[in-house]
Amino acid sequence: MDTDLSSQDRKDLDKFIKFFALKTVQVIVQARLGEKICTRSSSSPTGSDWFNLAIKDIPEVTHEAKKALAGQLPAVGRSMCVEISLKTSEGDSMELEIWCLEMNEKCDKEIKVSYTVYNRLSLLLKSLLAITRVTPAYRLSRKQGHEYVILYRIYFGEVQLSGLGEGFQTVRVGTVGTPVGTITLSCAYRINLAFMSTRQFERTPPIMGIIIDHFVDRPYPSSSPMHPCNYRAGEDNGAVYPSVEDSQEVCTTSFSTSPPSQLSSSRLSYQPAALGVGSADMGYPVLFAGGLNAAHPHQLIGPGKEGGVPPVPNQPAHGTQADQERMCTPLDGVHYSAATPSSSEDTETVSNSSEGKCGSPHDLLETIFIRKVGAFVNKPINQVTMANLDIPFAMFAPKNVELEDNDPMVNPPESPETESPLQGSLHSEGSSGSSTGNTHDDFVMIDFKPAFSKDDILPMDLGTFYREFQNPPQLSSLSIDIGAQSMAEDLDSLPEKLAVHEKNVKEFDAFVETLQ
Amino acid sequence: MVGPGRSRCCGPSGAAPAMNCRAEVLEVSVEGRQVEEAMLAVLHTILLHRSTGKFHYKKEGTYSIGTVGTQDVDCDFIDFAYVRVSSEELDRALRKAVGEFKNALRGSGSDGMGQISLEFYQKKKSRWPFSDECIPWELWTIKVNVVNLANEQERQICREKVGEKLCEKTINIVELMNRHEYLPKMPTQSEVDNVFDTSLKDVQPYLYKISYQITDSLGTSVTTTMRRLIKDTLAL
């Protein structure tokens, strides 16, 4: 029992723990945004920076954390966990870390709440800032972009580490003893980053969906419980690190990082609906914690999200802090003063009402699950598909897809009967001239139409000129007969030539020196 | 070397540390061009934990504390990133000290081995004519071994290895910081300069000083760099 704790102390302690939990989540999620974080020191206290640290509050993150806590505080057996996972553009996901804020029963009755606990919580947050940069997920998150994104999920209850694979490691960030228990902050992180895709390669025609251009914001699937970690606060943040960057060798994973021009059919299209529905449809694991209080998926923030909620202007990062009491208790018998709490509940209401609306400056997941076909490719989907199947010589394989009928590579158009005599020089080897439209021909005659030229202006148009000079006659010295003879002669004359060159060594050296 | 800007300084801290001064030693092996970044990473990580906001004393017995900002720093020669306090003055002071250390390491007589120390101390006022006493309460020593690498492949491996090593060191530092061992008591307004370095305008680290030693190939200490500290002492 904590009968020794005064009611004021108890109230303060609960408040400290609550805001410590919220700030912990902010630090962790912000460290996985993929950007460099920069906040300014301020010599004058602003009255809104908990634990004397400038940690900005991303409203959505605060909202999610509060929702997960649901008015409770971390206690024995009830831990607050932040799960960080990676999700590839193909839909495969992998848990990377679990950050746990736990409370155990070991109490420190002697400790002063309003001073020592507060300062130690501040120290613990600094440690968290440092440790979040040294786990493997930090480097992965700095390189997130086209290939994968980092997601976070907050839950309250029992810690679940099974998703981290075998041999995960744990690092303890620190502990703070309080009169009601000892707060422990730790991180369990995956070390085995080998990753096998959970879906088999399917040689089916692509699902006709939307190919989204690289630069268009994507509506985030509304029913996923995971949240993207590339939220941008749009504040006066000094971070300028580009968050979009292709990764080729980040970890020993086997998921594909092939260049866009060799996409497999399964990646050509984006299915906004399927991604959010759940694991059954897409075959990738979507984690749900047992005992999750807020298990239902919730709408996520972002421009263009479902429901068309209009974005509202940014909340000032510091202004929405609730409960800004601050107590400083220097020892040596000095009194402490409590700063006047600001309108805590009001600001909390304000920030809650703006949930899900912080849209405009926040660029969410521009390229999550989208595959660009390839720059400058204008082919319709079907043609791209046929060309990009991952079997060799896919073009020549027996085709049973109706789309092939439209493919000029398969069924070339009837070439005109009248061709210029020079056209015979095209495809001089093995070509029998015009194509008959047979699907098994090796070569197809296509009218050569150079860009920006017209046939009817000059007797000899650009195309004809090009064709004529495309296949010039061979040099006589390179012809085989002459070559064989000259080879022997060359070999015989070599010693003489070498002797001459050796005489002129000095000239050559002088020449070389002039070049340097 | 770095010390508090205005000094009613104490004697050289070559004196034996006080009995309750805890000492921690970290060792790293780095390539020449990594020395600066590795040292800054460790020193900044320590000072992040040993800095607070500026104290503003109000009416009798009350004070408020300013806010400490932080920022991410990416290393150029090491696969590593760390967080430091957002204070240009503090960063400049550390860079100056580390720069001197790096130059000394490069100097002749050095086999590429040395150590840089970060000491936190308190001042204890003494009566005239005795100068104030400096009582160290925490001493961090970073031993550095500079290696020479033959080719680019080795350098790339070194980048990664040193990055991993610094991750370990960060975890070590955090573990030690969170033992919550002795810290000076929060001072009254008249005592604040005996505990904190109040010369910076945006943050307030505990009083600290940085010194270094270069070891020659025989393992003996060749250069003790207390020059500036002694100069300050004599300047009083």
Side-chain angles (χ1 to χ4, degrees), chain A residues 140-187:
Chain A
L140 285 174
S141 67
R142 290 290 295 267
K143 296 178 181 179
Q144 66 182 299
H146 297 285
E147 302 289 333
Y148 62 89
V149 289
I150 303 294
L151 306 177
Y152 75 93
R153 184 169 72 94
I154 308 170
Y155 64 90
F156 193 73
E158 275 191 37
V159 182
Q160 292 153 9
L161 302 176
S162 55
L164 293 175
E166 290 181 2
F168 62 85
Q169 287 194 355
T170 312
V171 58
R172 186 149 84 165
V173 183
T175 61
V176 173
T178 77
V180 301
T182 297
I183 295 170
T184 305
L185 187 53
S186 60
C187 173

Side-chain angles (χ1 to χ4, degrees), chain A residues 39 43 115 126 133 142 334-335, chain B residues 51 56 61 72 74 86 186:
Chain A
T39 56
S43 62
Y115 165 67
K126 291 173 182 171
R133 272 67 177 172
R142 290 290 295 267
V334 175
H335 303 294
Chain B
S51 299
H56 295 275
D72 282 311
D74 288 338
S86 288
M186 281 299 135

Side-chain angles (χ1 to χ4, degrees), chain A residues 19-32:
Chain A
F19 282 95
F20 179 76
L22 296 177
K23 286 295 184 182
T24 294
V25 174
Q26 290 286 350
V27 168
I28 293 167
V29 173
Q30 289 177 27
R32 299 291 175 261

Side-chain angles (χ1 to χ4, degrees), chain A residues 192-208:
Chain A
N192 176 19
L193 294 176
F195 180 82
M196 296 301 293
S197 173
T198 54
R199 52 166 73 192
Q200 294 178 357
F201 176 70
E202 294 170 0
R203 292 180 187 177
T204 55
I207 302 160
M208 297 301 293

Side-chain angles (χ1 to χ4, degrees), chain A residues 35-47 49 52-55 115 119-120 123-124 126-135 138-139 142 171-177 189 241 326 328-332 334-337, chain B residues 45 48-54 56-74 79-83 85-87 160 166-167 170-171 174-175 177-178 180-181 183-188 201-203:
Chain A
E35 298 173 344
K36 282 166 76 168
I37 304 296
C38 179
T39 56
R40 290 172 57 187
S41 300
S42 167
S43 62
S44 306
T46 60
D49 292 320
N52 311 119
L53 282 173
I55 299 171
Y115 165 67
N119 284 339
R120 287 185 180 179
L123 192 72
L124 188 52
K126 291 173 182 171
S127 297
L128 182 65
L129 281 163
I131 295 290
T132 45
R133 272 67 177 172
V134 304
T135 53
Y138 180 71
R139 290 185 60 193
R142 290 290 295 267
V171 58
R172 186 149 84 165
V173 183
T175 61
V176 173
Y189 59 94
Y241 188 84
R326 175 89 52 74
C328 308
T329 315
L331 298 181
D332 302 330
V334 175
H335 303 294
Y336 74 85
S337 66
Chain B
T45 301
L48 170 69
H49 291 80
R50 292 287 179 250
S51 299
T52 173
K54 295 283 288 180
H56 295 275
Y57 289 92
K58 297 172 191 170
K59 58 183 195 282
E60 183 59 41
T62 64
Y63 68 90
S64 57
I65 308 179
T67 300
V68 173
T70 57
Q71 59 188 84
D72 282 311
V73 181
D74 288 338
D79 287 346
F80 186 68
Y82 60 95
V83 176
V85 170
S86 288
S87 166
E160 294 165 9
L166 289 176
C167 289
T170 303
I171 295 174
V174 161
E175 188 188 359
M177 291 293 183
N178 274 273
H180 302 304
E181 292 170 337
L183 279 180
K185 290 180 182 175
M186 281 299 135
T188 57
K201 69 176 193 308
D202 43 14
V203 295

Side-chain angles (χ1 to χ4, degrees), chain A residues 8-86:
Chain A
Q8 180 62 39
D9 275 350
R10 183 62 207 245
K11 209 169 139 193
D12 293 340
L13 184 61
D14 286 347
K15 200 174 296 180
F16 293 167
I17 294 175
K18 173 188 166 188
F19 282 95
F20 179 76
L22 296 177
K23 286 295 184 182
T24 294
V25 174
Q26 290 286 350
V27 168
I28 293 167
V29 173
Q30 289 177 27
R32 299 291 175 261
L33 288 179
E35 298 173 344
K36 282 166 76 168
I37 304 296
C38 179
T39 56
R40 290 172 57 187
S41 300
S42 167
S43 62
S44 306
T46 60
S48 62
D49 292 320
W50 273 91
F51 308 106
N52 311 119
L53 282 173
I55 299 171
K56 289 188 178 173
D57 285 323
I58 299 176
E60 178 188 318
V61 175
T62 302
H63 170 68
E64 293 303 324
K66 282 182 177 169
K67 214 161 103 170
L69 287 171
Q72 300 175 78
L73 289 176
V76 178
R78 291 199 319 256
S79 307
M80 189 189 74
C81 300
V82 182
E83 177 190 292
I84 301 291
S85 59
L86 176 151

